[in-house]
Amino acid sequence: MAMLTDLINLDLSDCSDKIIAEYIWVGGSGMDVRSKARTLSKPVNDPSKLPKWNFDGSSTGQATGDDSEVILCPQAIFRDPFRKGKNILVMCDCYAPNGEPIPTNNRHRAAKIFSHPDVKVEEPWFGIEQEYTLLQKDTNWPLGWPLGGYPGPQGPYYCAAGADKSYGRDIVDAHYKACLYAGIDISGINGEVMPGQWEFQVGPAVGISAGDQIWVARYILERITENGGVVVSFDPKPIPGDWNGAGAHTNYSTKSMRSDGGYEVIKKAINKLGLRHREHIAAYGDGNERRLTGRHETADINTFIWGVANRGASVRVGRDTEKEGKGYFEDRRPASNMDPYVVTSLIAETTILWEPSHSNGNGVTAP
């Protein structure tokens, strides 16, 4: 008698050319990731050769019940670390039957910015530091914390090892390897300052692919925590009080910034970000005001400051970038629940396409 795990791990290539494609999309809340699977007659490695599909948008907050069909358009393919073999994960975006992108399709808007000739020539690179918190399933209390109580103060937990300091490493390592298997440019992991909180980094990734990879990495993390019986939270301040929040620091550079003389380009770009601070904050995640308090390695949400090696700034420039006169900078404002399509495209738009002589988006003419 075959065990359940034996059946889950069946190698379909022994008997068929058919594969399973898991279609993934972002739901109506902007943070819920959805998916469903279909059988394909043979392996596919080009998203344009995948069939479009549809789903019931009234069940995801993306359509009304009397006109509920939403169309899934495949955009990026990844290897499936769960089914393995030639099976795939497919990142999709969503359209109405008439071909128009639905209101929650942030990928479509981002793709328009990244396809702009002035943006393409600058080859924007992104490295996103995705923080998250692991919670006990039945209590929604951080993993490793005493039920209804608190661990010792922050300090010993960051990048720590040991049963009294590090909670959930099996989940984290499983996610790390699964992302590498999938073909995601995951560049590292670490334990964070608050116990039960972790971070993974994706990048450098170019343009729209950064958003695709973060969303699929989040999906993989949701699946792994599902299997592990824990809950992943992307809330920017899951525990009130003297605990660090959770962000998605976004490292960014353009070809001009990476070239000789790039430090001057970086300073001009940061100045533009400052002029559009309120517009960026509005797009950088829900509940971010609970995190950006001016404490716990953040700048106050109403203030824009930048500095070299300053982790309490809105934007941080690394020492190496200052020393070499070129490189990248880190926007520390995005919350852990930000939409990477929105954040990456807005940073590219502001720093490459937007001119300060125009309205700064707040009804004020910038100098």
Side-chain angles (χ1 to χ4, degrees), residues 67-86:
D67 188 13
S68 65
E69 189 170 288
V70 179
I71 309 302
L72 290 170
C73 291
Q75 300 292 353
I77 292 175
F78 299 85
R79 291 184 292 273
D80 187 339
F82 304 103
R83 296 188 177 104
K84 294 178 281 193
K86 295 184 178 180

Side-chain angles (χ1 to χ4, degrees), residues 201-224:
Q201 303 95 33
V202 168
V206 181
I208 196 75
S209 68
D212 291 336
Q213 293 190 50
I214 284 288
W215 274 117
V216 174
R218 285 175 174 176
Y219 171 80
I220 291 172
L221 183 57
E222 292 275 14
R223 287 284 304 276
I224 289 173

Side-chain angles (χ1 to χ4, degrees), residues 7-26:
L7 297 173
I8 290 172
N9 294 323
L10 276 176
D11 185 354
L12 300 178
S13 63
D14 290 344
C15 61
S16 175
D17 290 332
K18 293 180 180 179
I19 67 161
I20 301 171
E22 189 80 26
Y23 279 42
I24 302 167
W25 71 96
V26 182

Side-chain angles (χ1 to χ4, degrees), residues 24-35 55-64 68 70 72 91-95 102-106 109 215 286 337 339 342:
I24 302 167
W25 71 96
V26 182
S29 74
M31 267 306 293
D32 54 321
V33 63
R34 309 282 181 136
S35 76
F55 68 92
D56 172 17
S58 67
S59 297
T60 64
Q62 292 171 290
T64 58
S68 65
V70 179
L72 290 170
M91 191 65 209
C92 305
D93 62 352
C94 302
Y95 296 81
I102 65 172
T104 57
N105 187 345
N106 292 327
R109 288 188 286 274
W215 274 117
D286 293 333
N337 61 3
D339 186 326
V342 173

Side-chain angles (χ1 to χ4, degrees), residues 299-314:
D300 181 83
I301 195 169
N302 296 310
T303 305
F304 182 89
I305 58 172
W306 75 276
V308 176
N310 181 2
R311 295 187 181 276
S314 312

Side-chain angles (χ1 to χ4, degrees), residues 129 131 154 158 192-193 197 199 237 243-245 247 249 291-300 310-314 316 330 332-333:
E129 305 171 29
E131 295 178 343
Q154 294 185 159
Y158 174 70
E192 267 305 328
V193 177
Q197 195 172 88
E199 171 184 300
K237 188 74 173 182
W243 306 98
N244 273 31
H249 303 156
R291 169 180 161 262
L292 297 181
T293 61
R295 300 180 62 214
H296 304 109
E297 299 181 356
T298 71
D300 181 83
N310 181 2
R311 295 187 181 276
S314 312
R316 180 185 69 89
E330 175 192 37
R332 298 179 58 82
R333 297 171 295 172

Side-chain angles (χ1 to χ4, degrees), residues 140-366:
N140 277 340
W141 199 237
L143 200 65
W145 290 35
L147 188 60
Y150 297 87
Q154 294 185 159
Y157 310 105
Y158 174 70
C159 296
D164 58 341
K165 296 180 286 293
S166 178
Y167 312 113
R169 190 182 297 277
D170 53 346
I171 296 286
V172 174
D173 276 352
H175 178 251
Y176 195 175
K177 288 186 176 180
C179 285
L180 286 171
Y181 181 95
I184 291 168
D185 294 320
I186 186 168
S187 48
I189 58 165
N190 61 267
E192 267 305 328
V193 177
M194 190 183 87
Q197 195 172 88
W198 292 82
E199 171 184 300
F200 66 88
Q201 303 95 33
V202 168
V206 181
I208 196 75
S209 68
D212 291 336
Q213 293 190 50
I214 284 288
W215 274 117
V216 174
R218 285 175 174 176
Y219 171 80
I220 291 172
L221 183 57
E222 292 275 14
R223 287 284 304 276
I224 289 173
T225 53
E226 171 190 327
N227 291 342
V230 299
V231 174
V232 59
S233 170
F234 294 103
D235 190 288
K237 188 74 173 182
I239 303 296
D242 196 19
W243 306 98
N244 273 31
H249 303 156
T250 302
N251 299 276
Y252 170 71
S253 69
T254 62
K255 189 174 183 179
S256 297
M257 295 174 191
R258 298 187 294 269
S259 303
D260 291 344
Y263 195 44
E264 290 304 313
V265 181
I266 287 173
K267 289 193 287 186
K268 289 177 182 177
I270 293 173
N271 181 61
K272 286 184 176 184
L273 290 174
L275 293 173
R276 294 184 100 186
H277 177 62
R278 282 185 290 171
E279 184 173 340
H280 280 251
I281 287 295
Y284 274 14
D286 293 333
N288 213 8
E289 72 283 351
R290 293 182 281 117
R291 169 180 161 262
L292 297 181
T293 61
R295 300 180 62 214
H296 304 109
E297 299 181 356
T298 71
D300 181 83
I301 195 169
N302 296 310
T303 305
F304 182 89
I305 58 172
W306 75 276
V308 176
N310 181 2
R311 295 187 181 276
S314 312
V315 171
R316 180 185 69 89
V317 174
R319 288 287 183 202
D320 286 346
T321 295
E322 180 189 43
K323 181 179 177 181
E324 296 179 16
K326 59 185 176 182
Y328 70 97
F329 64 83
E330 175 192 37
D331 192 336
R332 298 179 58 82
R333 297 171 295 172
S336 52
N337 61 3
M338 63 83 164
D339 186 326
Y341 294 136
V342 173
V343 168
T344 57
S345 61
L346 183 56
I347 290 173
E349 179 192 30
T350 295
T351 59
I352 301 172
L353 300 178
W354 184 73
E355 291 300 332
S357 58
H358 301 157
S359 170
N360 68 0
N362 301 316
V364 178
T365 300

